[in-house]
Amino acid sequence: EVELVESGGGLVEPGGSMRLSCRASGFTFDRSWMYWVRQAPGKKIDWLASIDQAGASTHYADRVKGRCIISRDNINNMVYLTINNLKPEESAVYYCVRASRLDYASVTPPLDRNFWGQGTQVTVSS
């Protein structure tokens, strides 16, 4: 069974940082691009970052570029997202996403939620 399990969410003060983790299982992790997206209630899906199979190529949305790092550990089937200088409007559920096809390069994550984890809530508030 394919699983993506996010962790690391919670409450963070404005200007603070957060590191999210995603544990993957049930598919060949090192053949899949991985992504992070977020969605706040009533808002559109917001793509944040993408990383290729080897972790050699990363891509970021302009709104997080320079304060966000996506990384992966192909030994332990983990993908991470660190965001610095968080703002209250960035409160959302953050999701780990896997590629819809293995060995396929795409910066854009699939919108089919069958390829998403269950998400972890991040609340930015004082």
Side-chain angles (χ1 to χ4, degrees):
E1 180 188 0
V2 173
E3 270 200 317
L4 296 171
V5 180
E6 300 94 337
S7 60
L11 178 66
V12 62
E13 291 190 349
S17 299
M18 182 155 283
R19 189 190 195 214
L20 305 178
S21 301
C22 173
R23 177 175 52 82
S25 60
F27 64 101
T28 310
F29 181 73
D30 62 4
R31 293 172 59 192
S32 176
W33 275 64
M34 296 297 296
Y35 314 86
W36 285 94
V37 304
R38 65 188 176 196
Q39 190 170 29
K43 299 287 184 64
K44 296 187 305 181
I45 297 165
D46 189 18
W47 165 73
L48 298 174
S50 306
I51 188 167
D52 74 346
Q53 292 91 338
S57 177
T58 56
H59 304 265
Y60 299 95
D62 286 344
R63 57 193 151 280
V64 298
K65 196 173 292 183
R67 59 185 183 94
C68 179
I69 298 174
I70 185 171
S71 61
R72 65 190 296 161
D73 174 356
N74 284 350
I75 301 297
N76 294 299
N77 289 4
M78 298 290 295
V79 61
Y80 305 98
L81 184 75
T82 299
I83 304 183
N84 302 312
N85 193 20
L86 281 160
K87 307 174 181 65
E89 56 266 34
E90 296 187 284
S91 297
V93 178
Y94 284 66
Y95 297 92
C96 172
V97 182
R98 65 182 178 95
S100 57
R101 291 165 56 185
L102 298 178
D103 303 320
Y104 181 71
S106 174
V107 175
T108 305
L111 297 181
D112 183 344
R113 292 192 181 233
N114 287 318
F115 297 94
W116 294 27
Q118 292 302 304
T120 184
Q121 175 71 47
V122 173
T123 302
V124 185
S125 175
S126 55

